[in-house]
Amino acid sequence: MNELTPLTQAQETVLAAAAPLGCEKVGLLDALGRVLGEDIVAPRANPPWDNSAMDGFAVRWEDIRKEHEVTRPAELTIVEDVPAGQMATKAVGPGEAIRIMTGAPLPEGADTVVRVEFTEPSDVGVRIFQPEPLGANIRPKGEDVKEGECIIPRGAILRPAELGMLAILGKSFVLVQQRPRVAILSTGDELADLDELFDEKKIVNSNSYGIAAAVQEAGGIPLLLGIARDVPESLKEKIAQGLGCDILVLSGGVSMGDYDFTKIVFAELGADMHFWKLAIRPGQPLAFGHIQGTLAFGLPGNPVSSMVTFEQLVRLAIMKMGGHRQWARPVVQAEFQERFSKRPDRRHFLRGILEHRNGKLTVRPTGPQGSGILTSMVKANGLIDIPEDVETVHPGDIVQVQVLSRNF
Ligand code: AMP
Ligand code: MG
Protein backbone atom coordinates (compact mmCIF):
# COMPACT_ATOMS: atom_id res chain seq x y z
CA MET A 1 0.00 0.00 0.00
CA ASN A 2 2.92 2.33 0.56
CA GLU A 3 4.53 2.11 -2.84
CA LEU A 4 4.08 4.84 -5.43
CA THR A 5 1.30 4.06 -7.93
CA PRO A 6 2.04 5.13 -11.53
CA LEU A 7 -0.46 7.71 -12.78
CA THR A 8 -1.79 5.66 -15.71
CA GLN A 9 -2.51 2.75 -13.37
CA ALA A 10 -4.19 5.09 -10.87
CA GLN A 11 -6.34 6.53 -13.67
CA GLU A 12 -7.42 3.05 -14.76
CA THR A 13 -8.36 2.21 -11.18
CA VAL A 14 -10.38 5.42 -10.79
CA LEU A 15 -12.17 5.02 -14.12
CA ALA A 16 -13.01 1.40 -13.33
CA ALA A 17 -14.62 2.56 -10.08
CA ALA A 18 -16.59 5.43 -11.65
CA ALA A 19 -19.85 4.34 -13.30
CA PRO A 20 -22.13 6.75 -15.18
CA LEU A 21 -25.10 7.90 -13.09
CA GLY A 22 -28.69 7.83 -14.35
CA CYS A 23 -30.57 10.41 -16.42
CA GLU A 24 -32.97 13.26 -15.64
CA LYS A 25 -35.30 15.45 -17.70
CA VAL A 26 -34.50 19.14 -17.97
CA GLY A 27 -36.08 22.03 -19.83
CA LEU A 28 -34.30 23.12 -22.97
CA LEU A 29 -32.99 26.33 -21.40
CA ASP A 30 -31.28 24.32 -18.64
CA ALA A 31 -29.65 21.87 -21.03
CA LEU A 32 -26.65 23.88 -22.23
CA GLY A 33 -23.40 21.99 -21.60
CA ARG A 34 -25.21 18.86 -20.37
CA VAL A 35 -24.55 15.38 -21.72
CA LEU A 36 -27.45 14.03 -23.76
CA GLY A 37 -28.98 10.89 -22.23
CA GLU A 38 -31.05 9.71 -25.23
CA ASP A 39 -30.73 9.36 -28.99
CA ILE A 40 -32.65 12.17 -30.64
CA VAL A 41 -34.58 10.74 -33.60
CA ALA A 42 -36.40 13.15 -35.91
CA PRO A 43 -40.19 12.71 -35.58
CA ARG A 44 -40.63 14.55 -38.91
CA ALA A 45 -38.59 15.98 -41.74
CA ASN A 46 -37.12 19.47 -41.68
CA PRO A 47 -38.12 21.37 -43.69
CA PRO A 48 -41.43 19.49 -43.60
CA TRP A 49 -42.24 20.36 -47.24
CA ASP A 50 -40.49 21.69 -50.35
CA ASN A 51 -40.36 25.43 -49.80
CA SER A 52 -39.15 28.63 -51.31
CA ALA A 53 -35.64 29.93 -50.61
CA MET A 54 -36.58 33.41 -51.88
CA ASP A 55 -39.35 35.95 -51.91
CA GLY A 56 -40.72 35.62 -55.45
CA PHE A 57 -43.09 33.72 -57.72
CA ALA A 58 -43.77 30.01 -57.87
CA VAL A 59 -44.01 29.08 -61.56
CA ARG A 60 -43.86 26.21 -64.04
CA TRP A 61 -40.40 26.25 -65.57
CA GLU A 62 -41.96 25.28 -68.93
CA ASP A 63 -43.58 28.77 -69.01
CA ILE A 64 -40.50 30.82 -68.37
CA ARG A 65 -38.15 28.66 -70.45
CA LYS A 66 -39.94 29.31 -73.75
CA GLU A 67 -39.72 33.03 -73.22
CA HIS A 68 -36.31 33.43 -71.62
CA GLU A 69 -34.95 36.12 -73.89
CA VAL A 70 -34.81 39.60 -72.46
CA THR A 71 -36.55 40.93 -75.55
CA ARG A 72 -39.59 38.72 -75.03
CA PRO A 73 -40.10 38.34 -71.29
CA ALA A 74 -42.66 35.83 -70.02
CA GLU A 75 -45.88 37.28 -68.69
CA LEU A 76 -47.83 35.23 -66.15
CA THR A 77 -51.15 35.69 -64.39
CA ILE A 78 -50.94 35.88 -60.60
CA VAL A 79 -53.61 33.51 -59.31
CA GLU A 80 -52.85 33.81 -55.62
CA ASP A 81 -50.87 35.90 -53.18
CA VAL A 82 -49.72 33.78 -50.23
CA PRO A 83 -48.69 35.73 -47.13
CA ALA A 84 -46.06 34.39 -44.66
CA GLY A 85 -47.35 31.52 -42.59
CA GLN A 86 -50.04 30.53 -45.10
CA MET A 87 -50.27 27.77 -47.64
CA ALA A 88 -51.43 28.23 -51.24
CA THR A 89 -54.99 27.04 -51.81
CA LYS A 90 -54.61 26.88 -55.58
CA ALA A 91 -52.24 25.06 -57.88
CA VAL A 92 -50.07 26.77 -60.47
CA GLY A 93 -51.47 26.06 -63.93
CA PRO A 94 -49.98 26.86 -67.37
CA GLY A 95 -49.31 30.59 -67.73
CA GLU A 96 -49.86 31.17 -64.00
CA ALA A 97 -47.78 32.26 -61.02
CA ILE A 98 -48.33 32.37 -57.24
CA ARG A 99 -46.58 35.03 -55.20
CA ILE A 100 -44.82 33.44 -52.17
CA MET A 101 -42.43 34.39 -49.38
CA THR A 102 -39.17 32.76 -48.26
CA GLY A 103 -39.87 29.55 -46.38
CA ALA A 104 -43.43 29.17 -47.73
CA PRO A 105 -44.47 25.72 -48.95
CA LEU A 106 -44.15 25.31 -52.71
CA PRO A 107 -47.64 25.31 -54.30
CA GLU A 108 -48.87 22.34 -56.31
CA GLY A 109 -47.93 22.48 -59.97
CA ALA A 110 -44.91 24.76 -59.47
CA ASP A 111 -41.40 23.46 -59.99
CA THR A 112 -39.36 26.67 -59.90
CA VAL A 113 -39.28 29.91 -57.92
CA VAL A 114 -38.33 33.14 -59.69
CA ARG A 115 -36.89 35.66 -57.27
CA VAL A 116 -38.71 38.96 -57.08
CA GLU A 117 -35.65 40.90 -58.31
CA PHE A 118 -36.03 39.18 -61.70
CA THR A 119 -39.63 40.36 -62.13
CA GLU A 120 -41.76 43.46 -62.51
CA PRO A 121 -45.50 44.07 -62.40
CA SER A 122 -47.31 43.89 -65.73
CA ASP A 123 -50.89 44.37 -67.03
CA VAL A 124 -51.53 40.65 -66.86
CA GLY A 125 -49.78 40.08 -63.55
CA VAL A 126 -46.03 39.64 -63.50
CA ARG A 127 -43.36 39.98 -66.15
CA ILE A 128 -40.27 37.77 -65.76
CA PHE A 129 -37.35 39.40 -67.50
CA GLN A 130 -34.63 37.00 -66.41
CA PRO A 131 -35.00 33.21 -66.44
CA GLU A 132 -34.12 30.86 -63.59
CA PRO A 133 -32.94 27.28 -64.06
CA LEU A 134 -35.38 24.42 -63.48
CA GLY A 135 -35.91 23.87 -59.73
CA ALA A 136 -34.26 27.17 -58.78
CA ASN A 137 -34.75 28.60 -55.27
CA ILE A 138 -36.46 25.52 -53.87
CA ARG A 139 -35.32 23.96 -50.60
CA PRO A 140 -36.41 20.32 -50.80
CA LYS A 141 -38.31 18.61 -48.00
CA GLY A 142 -35.90 16.97 -45.55
CA GLU A 143 -32.78 18.70 -46.85
CA ASP A 144 -31.86 19.44 -43.22
CA VAL A 145 -33.37 16.49 -41.35
CA LYS A 146 -34.98 13.30 -42.65
CA GLU A 147 -37.82 11.70 -40.74
CA GLY A 148 -36.60 8.81 -38.57
CA GLU A 149 -32.96 9.85 -38.76
CA CYS A 150 -30.86 9.96 -35.53
CA ILE A 151 -29.87 13.62 -35.45
CA ILE A 152 -28.04 13.88 -32.10
CA PRO A 153 -26.63 10.74 -30.50
CA ARG A 154 -26.74 9.94 -26.81
CA GLY A 155 -23.54 11.16 -25.13
CA ALA A 156 -23.32 14.38 -27.16
CA ILE A 157 -22.58 17.56 -25.26
CA LEU A 158 -25.40 20.02 -25.81
CA ARG A 159 -24.22 23.28 -27.39
CA PRO A 160 -26.27 26.13 -28.84
CA ALA A 161 -26.51 24.29 -32.18
CA GLU A 162 -27.93 21.14 -30.57
CA LEU A 163 -30.42 23.20 -28.52
CA GLY A 164 -31.65 24.93 -31.67
CA MET A 165 -32.07 21.56 -33.34
CA LEU A 166 -33.98 20.18 -30.33
CA ALA A 167 -36.36 23.12 -30.65
CA ILE A 168 -36.84 22.40 -34.37
CA LEU A 169 -37.74 18.83 -33.44
CA GLY A 170 -40.30 20.07 -30.91
CA LYS A 171 -38.46 18.91 -27.79
CA SER A 172 -39.11 21.30 -24.92
CA PHE A 173 -37.66 18.81 -22.43
CA VAL A 174 -34.69 16.55 -22.96
CA LEU A 175 -33.15 13.61 -21.12
CA VAL A 176 -29.64 14.39 -19.86
CA GLN A 177 -27.11 12.57 -17.70
CA GLN A 178 -27.19 13.39 -13.99
CA ARG A 179 -24.32 15.44 -12.64
CA PRO A 180 -22.34 13.83 -9.81
CA ARG A 181 -22.61 15.49 -6.40
CA VAL A 182 -19.17 16.10 -4.95
CA ALA A 183 -18.61 16.79 -1.24
CA ILE A 184 -15.51 18.90 -0.56
CA LEU A 185 -13.73 18.84 2.77
CA SER A 186 -10.59 20.69 3.82
CA THR A 187 -8.57 19.47 6.76
CA GLY A 188 -6.12 21.18 9.04
CA ASP A 189 -5.85 23.08 12.33
CA GLU A 190 -4.00 25.85 10.49
CA LEU A 191 -7.00 26.71 8.29
CA ALA A 192 -9.58 29.45 8.64
CA ASP A 193 -12.57 29.91 6.38
CA LEU A 194 -12.76 32.75 3.91
CA ASP A 195 -15.27 34.91 5.75
CA GLU A 196 -14.14 33.96 9.24
CA LEU A 197 -12.36 36.49 11.45
CA PHE A 198 -9.05 34.73 11.95
CA ASP A 199 -5.72 35.47 13.51
CA GLU A 200 -2.72 36.19 11.33
CA LYS A 201 -1.18 32.81 11.99
CA LYS A 202 -3.90 30.98 10.09
CA ILE A 203 -4.09 30.10 6.41
CA VAL A 204 -7.21 30.77 4.34
CA ASN A 205 -8.97 27.62 3.20
CA SER A 206 -8.52 28.36 -0.47
CA ASN A 207 -8.59 24.74 -1.59
CA SER A 208 -12.32 24.36 -1.02
CA TYR A 209 -13.01 27.17 -3.48
CA GLY A 210 -10.50 26.09 -6.11
CA ILE A 211 -11.72 22.52 -5.92
CA ALA A 212 -15.42 23.53 -5.98
CA ALA A 213 -14.76 25.53 -9.16
CA ALA A 214 -12.90 22.60 -10.72
CA VAL A 215 -15.84 20.33 -9.83
CA GLN A 216 -18.24 22.69 -11.60
CA GLU A 217 -15.97 22.98 -14.60
CA ALA A 218 -15.99 19.17 -14.87
CA GLY A 219 -19.80 19.15 -14.71
CA GLY A 220 -20.23 18.13 -11.05
CA ILE A 221 -22.28 19.76 -8.29
CA PRO A 222 -20.06 20.85 -5.39
CA LEU A 223 -21.16 20.67 -1.77
CA LEU A 224 -18.85 22.46 0.68
CA LEU A 225 -18.41 20.66 4.00
CA GLY A 226 -16.00 23.26 5.43
CA ILE A 227 -12.96 22.44 7.53
CA ALA A 228 -12.24 19.35 9.61
CA ARG A 229 -9.79 19.82 12.45
CA ASP A 230 -6.79 17.55 12.94
CA VAL A 231 -8.51 15.30 15.46
CA PRO A 232 -10.11 12.00 14.49
CA GLU A 233 -13.60 12.92 15.78
CA SER A 234 -13.78 16.06 13.64
CA LEU A 235 -12.56 14.30 10.51
CA LYS A 236 -14.91 11.37 11.03
CA GLU A 237 -17.94 13.58 11.63
CA LYS A 238 -17.29 15.71 8.55
CA ILE A 239 -16.56 12.76 6.28
CA ALA A 240 -19.80 11.12 7.43
CA GLN A 241 -21.69 14.23 6.26
CA GLY A 242 -20.31 13.77 2.77
CA LEU A 243 -21.15 10.10 2.34
CA GLY A 244 -24.53 10.82 0.76
CA CYS A 245 -22.68 12.28 -2.21
CA ASP A 246 -21.29 10.40 -5.19
CA ILE A 247 -17.75 11.61 -4.61
CA LEU A 248 -15.91 12.95 -1.56
CA VAL A 249 -12.81 15.09 -2.05
CA LEU A 250 -10.62 15.72 0.97
CA SER A 251 -7.67 18.04 0.82
CA GLY A 252 -4.83 17.88 3.28
CA GLY A 253 -4.31 15.23 5.89
CA VAL A 254 -2.73 12.62 3.67
CA SER A 255 0.92 13.74 3.84
CA MET A 256 3.37 12.10 6.26
CA GLY A 257 2.36 14.14 9.34
CA ASP A 258 -1.38 13.39 9.13
CA TYR A 259 -1.31 10.15 7.23
CA ASP A 260 -1.66 7.78 10.15
CA PHE A 261 -4.71 9.37 11.69
CA THR A 262 -6.53 9.81 8.37
CA LYS A 263 -5.83 6.15 7.76
CA ILE A 264 -7.37 5.20 11.12
CA VAL A 265 -10.48 7.32 10.47
CA PHE A 266 -10.92 5.86 7.00
CA ALA A 267 -10.60 2.36 8.43
CA GLU A 268 -13.21 3.12 11.14
CA LEU A 269 -15.62 4.24 8.43
CA GLY A 270 -15.11 0.96 6.59
CA ALA A 271 -13.08 2.43 3.72
CA ASP A 272 -11.73 0.17 1.03
CA MET A 273 -8.59 2.01 -0.15
CA HIS A 274 -6.98 1.34 -3.53
CA PHE A 275 -3.85 3.48 -3.22
CA TRP A 276 -2.26 6.12 -0.98
CA LYS A 277 0.64 7.47 -3.00
CA LEU A 278 1.04 8.55 -6.58
CA ALA A 279 4.26 8.61 -8.61
CA ILE A 280 3.83 12.20 -9.80
CA ARG A 281 5.08 15.61 -8.82
CA PRO A 282 3.47 17.69 -7.52
CA GLY A 283 1.11 15.44 -5.63
CA GLN A 284 2.78 12.40 -4.18
CA PRO A 285 0.43 11.79 -1.26
CA LEU A 286 -2.86 10.82 -2.81
CA ALA A 287 -5.41 8.47 -1.37
CA PHE A 288 -8.22 6.85 -3.31
CA GLY A 289 -10.82 4.32 -2.33
CA HIS A 290 -14.46 3.67 -1.51
CA ILE A 291 -16.09 4.71 1.73
CA GLN A 292 -19.54 3.10 1.99
CA GLY A 293 -20.16 3.37 -1.76
CA THR A 294 -18.84 6.92 -2.14
CA LEU A 295 -15.67 7.41 -4.18
CA ALA A 296 -13.20 9.11 -1.83
CA PHE A 297 -10.14 11.07 -2.85
CA GLY A 298 -7.59 12.41 -0.37
CA LEU A 299 -5.65 15.12 -2.17
CA PRO A 300 -2.48 16.76 -0.90
CA GLY A 301 -3.07 20.01 0.98
CA ASN A 302 -0.73 22.24 -0.95
CA PRO A 303 -2.89 24.31 -3.27
CA VAL A 304 -1.00 23.53 -6.49
CA SER A 305 -0.75 19.83 -5.68
CA SER A 306 -4.45 19.60 -4.97
CA MET A 307 -5.30 21.24 -8.30
CA VAL A 308 -2.87 19.20 -10.39
CA THR A 309 -3.98 15.91 -8.85
CA PHE A 310 -7.63 16.90 -9.20
CA GLU A 311 -6.96 17.41 -12.92
CA GLN A 312 -5.35 14.00 -13.33
CA LEU A 313 -7.80 11.91 -11.32
CA VAL A 314 -10.89 13.50 -9.76
CA ARG A 315 -11.88 15.24 -12.98
CA LEU A 316 -11.90 11.90 -14.82
CA ALA A 317 -14.22 10.35 -12.25
CA ILE A 318 -16.64 13.30 -12.34
CA MET A 319 -16.74 13.32 -16.12
CA LYS A 320 -17.24 9.58 -16.47
CA MET A 321 -19.96 9.55 -13.79
CA GLY A 322 -21.56 12.50 -15.55
CA GLY A 323 -21.92 10.45 -18.74
CA HIS A 324 -19.05 11.96 -20.74
CA ARG A 325 -17.35 9.60 -23.14
CA GLN A 326 -14.23 11.65 -23.43
CA TRP A 327 -12.61 12.82 -20.19
CA ALA A 328 -9.05 13.75 -21.06
CA ARG A 329 -8.09 17.37 -21.64
CA PRO A 330 -6.90 18.08 -25.16
CA VAL A 331 -3.16 17.38 -25.43
CA VAL A 332 -0.96 19.38 -27.80
CA GLN A 333 2.70 19.12 -28.75
CA ALA A 334 4.72 22.26 -28.18
CA GLU A 335 8.33 23.35 -28.39
CA PHE A 336 9.86 23.75 -24.93
CA GLN A 337 11.56 27.14 -24.50
CA GLU A 338 13.79 26.54 -21.49
CA ARG A 339 15.99 23.98 -19.85
CA PHE A 340 14.54 21.80 -17.13
CA SER A 341 16.14 19.01 -15.12
CA LYS A 342 14.76 16.50 -12.67
CA ARG A 343 15.60 13.11 -11.29
CA PRO A 344 14.45 10.34 -13.67
CA ASP A 345 11.98 8.94 -11.19
CA ARG A 346 8.52 10.52 -11.17
CA ARG A 347 6.34 12.03 -13.86
CA HIS A 348 6.25 15.82 -13.50
CA PHE A 349 3.54 18.31 -14.37
CA LEU A 350 4.98 21.78 -14.84
CA ARG A 351 2.63 24.72 -15.04
CA GLY A 352 3.18 26.15 -18.50
CA ILE A 353 2.35 29.05 -20.76
CA LEU A 354 1.42 27.95 -24.27
CA GLU A 355 1.92 30.56 -26.99
CA HIS A 356 1.93 30.74 -30.76
CA ARG A 357 5.29 32.19 -31.83
CA ASN A 358 6.39 32.51 -35.45
CA GLY A 359 3.84 29.93 -36.56
CA LYS A 360 4.93 27.43 -33.90
CA LEU A 361 3.27 26.35 -30.68
CA THR A 362 5.71 26.96 -27.82
CA VAL A 363 5.56 26.42 -24.08
CA ARG A 364 7.57 27.70 -21.14
CA PRO A 365 7.22 27.14 -17.40
CA THR A 366 5.39 29.86 -15.48
CA GLY A 367 8.39 30.42 -13.17
CA PRO A 368 9.03 28.88 -9.75
CA GLN A 369 7.18 25.59 -9.48
CA GLY A 370 6.80 25.15 -5.70
CA SER A 371 3.59 23.39 -4.70
CA GLY A 372 2.51 26.38 -2.59
CA ILE A 373 2.93 28.84 -5.47
CA LEU A 374 -0.64 29.16 -6.71
CA THR A 375 0.26 32.00 -9.08
CA SER A 376 1.89 29.25 -11.17
CA MET A 377 -1.63 27.93 -11.82
CA VAL A 378 -3.02 31.42 -12.29
CA LYS A 379 -0.50 32.12 -15.07
CA ALA A 380 -0.73 28.67 -16.67
CA ASN A 381 -2.88 27.70 -19.63
CA GLY A 382 -1.38 24.22 -19.80
CA LEU A 383 0.28 21.46 -17.79
CA ILE A 384 3.57 20.29 -19.28
CA ASP A 385 3.81 16.53 -18.95
CA ILE A 386 7.42 15.43 -18.39
CA PRO A 387 7.67 11.61 -18.43
CA GLU A 388 9.09 9.66 -15.54
CA ASP A 389 12.34 8.57 -17.23
CA VAL A 390 13.30 11.99 -18.63
CA GLU A 391 16.18 13.76 -16.88
CA THR A 392 16.62 16.95 -18.87
CA VAL A 393 14.40 18.83 -21.30
CA HIS A 394 16.33 21.19 -23.58
CA PRO A 395 15.18 24.32 -25.37
CA GLY A 396 13.62 23.19 -28.68
CA ASP A 397 12.56 19.75 -27.42
CA ILE A 398 8.97 18.79 -28.18
CA VAL A 399 6.84 18.17 -25.10
CA GLN A 400 3.22 17.15 -24.51
CA VAL A 401 0.99 19.74 -22.88
CA GLN A 402 -2.48 19.28 -21.41
CA VAL A 403 -4.50 22.31 -22.44
CA LEU A 404 -6.28 23.90 -19.47
CA SER A 405 -7.75 26.92 -21.23
CA ARG A 406 -8.02 27.99 -24.82
CA ASN A 407 -6.78 31.52 -24.39
CA PHE A 408 -3.50 31.14 -26.22
P1 AMP B 1 -1.14 18.78 4.41
O1 AMP B 1 -1.24 17.98 3.14
O2 AMP B 1 -2.33 18.63 5.27
O3 AMP B 1 0.13 18.45 5.13
O4 AMP B 1 -1.06 20.30 4.00
C1 AMP B 1 0.08 20.84 3.38
C2 AMP B 1 -0.02 22.33 3.32
O5 AMP B 1 -1.02 22.70 2.42
C3 AMP B 1 -0.42 23.00 4.61
O6 AMP B 1 0.68 23.35 5.39
C4 AMP B 1 -1.13 24.23 4.16
O7 AMP B 1 -0.18 25.27 4.01
C5 AMP B 1 -1.66 23.87 2.83
N1 AMP B 1 -3.10 23.61 2.88
C6 AMP B 1 -3.70 22.52 3.38
N2 AMP B 1 -5.02 22.60 3.22
C7 AMP B 1 -5.26 23.78 2.62
C8 AMP B 1 -6.44 24.44 2.21
N3 AMP B 1 -7.66 23.91 2.37
N4 AMP B 1 -6.33 25.64 1.62
C9 AMP B 1 -5.11 26.18 1.42
N5 AMP B 1 -3.97 25.62 1.79
C10 AMP B 1 -4.02 24.42 2.41
MG1 MG C 1 -2.80 19.08 7.23
Side-chain angles (χ1 to χ4, degrees):
M1 268 286 175
N2 267 330
E3 68 275 21
L4 298 182
T5 305
L7 180 59
T8 45
Q9 188 187 320
Q11 287 171 328
E12 280 166 24
T13 305
V14 166
L15 286 169
L21 304 172
C23 292
E24 62 188 356
K25 271 217 157 150
V26 294
L28 218 46
L29 285 175
D30 293 319
L32 182 65
R34 301 294 299 266
V35 179
L36 186 61
E38 58 181 332
D39 282 336
I40 299 295
V41 175
R44 61 171 199 169
N46 183 57
W49 2 256
D50 291 351
N51 69 94
S52 177
M54 292 280 176
D55 288 344
F57 292 89
V59 303
R60 297 154 56 101
W61 184 68
E62 219 24 64
D63 290 343
I64 63 166
R65 176 173 76 154
K66 278 185 264 159
E67 308 282 349
H68 61 79
E69 275 143 63
V70 183
T71 48
R72 278 195 306 140
E75 291 213 45
L76 304 174
T77 315
I78 301 173
V79 293
E80 198 175 355
D81 209 332
V82 185
Q86 303 286 310
M87 288 217 172
T89 57
K90 297 194 179 118
V92 177
E96 293 176 351
I98 289 180
R99 192 201 305 272
I100 57 172
M101 313 293 269
T102 305
L106 191 72
E108 290 276 312
D111 57 11
T112 302
V113 171
V114 181
R115 69 192 85 175
V116 73
E117 297 92 314
F118 291 1
T119 69
E120 60 191 9
S122 79
D123 296 343
V124 189
V126 61
R127 182 177 298 119
I128 290 157
F129 53 78
Q130 194 171 323
E132 298 265 21
L134 175 62
N137 305 316
I138 293 171
R139 301 190 285 217
K141 171 181 178 178
E143 76 166 356
D144 185 17
V145 168
K146 296 191 178 33
E147 186 183 329
E149 194 183 355
C150 176
I151 303 300
I152 315 173
R154 179 177 185 167
I157 297 166
L158 299 175
R159 304 168 302 165
E162 282 77 19
L163 297 188
M165 179 52 73
L166 287 166
I168 283 181
L169 301 177
K171 292 243 167 202
S172 37
F173 288 87
V174 64
L175 208 58
V176 294
Q177 298 281 343
Q178 282 173 356
R179 304 164 62 192
R181 289 156 307 146
V182 184
I184 298 165
L185 178 59
S186 287
T187 72
D189 286 341
E190 75 280 22
L191 302 176
D193 234 328
L194 184 54
D195 301 318
E196 223 177 273
L197 272 180
F198 60 90
D199 66 60
E200 307 258 291
K201 292 181 212 91
K202 295 217 168 182
I203 290 169
V204 181
N205 167 23
S206 59
N207 284 359
S208 285
Y209 299 92
I211 292 171
V215 165
Q216 285 180 301
E217 199 192 19
I221 302 169
L223 174 76
L224 264 63
L225 298 180
I227 301 167
R229 298 306 170 190
D230 287 329
V231 286
E233 302 73 49
S234 175
L235 187 61
K236 198 170 169 181
E237 183 199 322
K238 289 282 188 181
I239 289 178
Q241 286 173 11
L243 294 182
C245 287
D246 302 301
I247 297 176
L248 170 72
V249 181
L250 244 82
S251 77
V254 285
S255 57
M256 280 323 279
D258 301 318
Y259 173 82
D260 287 335
F261 106 81
T262 300
K263 212 171 169 181
I264 290 167
V265 172
F266 277 16
E268 281 177 9
L269 287 164
D272 178 12
M273 300 309 289
H274 302 309
F275 53 84
W276 285 92
K277 286 183 180 170
L278 206 55
I280 66 167
R281 196 185 172 100
Q284 192 222 62
L286 200 143
F288 171 68
H290 284 88
I291 307 179
Q292 301 173 22
T294 299
L295 295 193
F297 293 86
L299 307 185
N302 279 304
V304 175
S305 312
S306 68
M307 287 205 152
V308 170
T309 50
F310 183 100
E311 273 295 317
Q312 307 310 319
L313 289 174
V314 187
R315 182 182 158 86
L316 309 196
I318 295 174
M319 295 195 69
K320 187 172 176 200
M321 286 178 122
H324 284 271
R325 292 166 179 204
Q326 158 69 35
W327 30 77
R329 293 272 193 187
V331 173
V332 294
Q333 303 214 323
E335 197 186 274
F336 199 67
Q337 300 295 289
E338 288 176 19
R339 189 189 164 81
F340 171 78
S341 288
K342 68 172 184 64
R343 276 191 298 170
D345 52 3
R346 282 186 269 157
R347 192 165 161 186
H348 276 48
F349 289 97
L350 304 179
R351 275 70 71 208
I353 301 171
L354 279 163
E355 273 174 323
H356 288 287
R357 277 197 203 168
N358 307 324
K360 268 189 298 196
L361 193 54
T362 65
V363 70
R364 63 193 157 89
T366 51
Q369 298 283 310
S371 57
I373 302 177
L374 195 55
T375 46
S376 70
M377 281 301 284
V378 173
K379 291 175 188 161
N381 57 8
L383 290 176
I384 309 166
D385 184 353
I386 313 282
E388 182 181 298
D389 55 349
V390 168
E391 246 186 295
T392 304
V393 190
H394 302 92
D397 284 357
I398 298 298
V399 290
Q400 311 253 28
V401 186
Q402 299 175 353
V403 181
L404 296 179
S405 55
R406 299 202 160 274
N407 56 341
F408 67 91

